[in-house]
Amino acid sequence: MKLFCKILFILTLLANPAHSYTHPKGLYVLQYPVPMPSVSLIDENNNSSPIQDTSSDLTIFVFWSQSCYPCLKEMKDLEKLYKKALNDNISIKLVSSSKEWDDFKTERTFLTKYGAPSIPFYSDTDNSLSLKLGIGSTPYTVIMDKSGKKVATIQGSINWGSKKLYKQIQNLAK
């Protein structure tokens, strides 16, 4: 019986490789949107604002870190997307840990160096938002609709310049 159980276990592993349980690459649209946590972020002017306080149809929160190479690689495409999305009432907010920067000027200089001179950035004080969303690594993206519900996520890096991705994002705003 032990041998049978071991063989069954091995067959189960072979039939269901670990990669079949990983998060799908790309935009993952939630079947049932969930309310975003009631958290405030600090903007680069040192103003605190609740994340649900938005007039945008969609808000794209891109969680990033200055030591994350994939995050830095995405910045130029995110900058282009930011300018394009403004016309569709979609906002993009870069979110990083408050412990990562000495001051907001240093962060803006850093973002400018990597091709994102105008995307608004926000500080996640004590990582409260990322902890409540269960974010453990960057880049990670959360998309919120105008009613304050999380409607989609992107785990890892993505091609922000993709027309297909932008069409999917536009469809979320409808």
Side-chain angles (χ1 to χ4, degrees), residues 4-14:
F4 175 75
C5 288
K6 285 181 183 180
I7 291 171
L8 184 62
F9 177 73
I10 291 169
L11 288 174
T12 303
L13 288 176
L14 292 173

Side-chain angles (χ1 to χ4, degrees), residues 41-49 103-105 107-108 120-123:
L41 296 174
I42 308 295
D43 69 16
E44 60 189 293
N45 297 314
N46 210 26
N47 298 316
S48 176
S49 62
D103 56 48
F104 295 123
K105 184 179 179 189
E107 186 170 359
R108 175 53 67 201
F121 67 84
Y122 295 80
S123 180

Side-chain angles (χ1 to χ4, degrees), residues 37-120:
S38 295
V39 174
S40 292
L41 296 174
I42 308 295
D43 69 16
E44 60 189 293
N45 297 314
N46 210 26
N47 298 316
S48 176
S49 62
I51 60 170
Q52 288 91 351
D53 189 17
T54 181
S55 60
S56 300
D57 291 333
L58 278 181
T59 303
I60 301 172
F61 295 96
V62 180
F63 292 82
W64 74 288
S65 169
Q66 65 178 315
S67 62
C68 167
Y69 176 73
C71 299
L72 302 178
K73 194 173 167 188
E74 292 180 339
M75 288 301 164
K76 287 181 183 176
D77 284 339
L78 271 169
E79 178 73 19
K80 291 175 189 171
L81 178 69
Y82 167 71
K83 291 176 179 178
K84 182 178 181 179
L86 286 174
N87 296 325
D88 292 322
N89 200 29
I90 298 170
S91 64
I92 297 175
K93 298 180 178 188
L94 296 174
V95 181
S96 63
S97 171
S98 61
K99 297 174 181 153
E100 199 165 354
W101 302 97
D102 292 333
D103 56 48
F104 295 123
K105 184 179 179 189
T106 304
E107 186 170 359
R108 175 53 67 201
T109 301
F110 188 87
L111 286 168
T112 300
K113 176 181 174 182
Y114 284 95
S118 57
I119 303 175

Side-chain angles (χ1 to χ4, degrees), residues 138-151:
T138 57
Y140 195 94
T141 303
V142 173
I143 301 177
M144 178 183 78
D145 67 10
K146 61 184 165 191
S147 68
K149 292 186 177 178
K150 178 170 72 168
V151 295

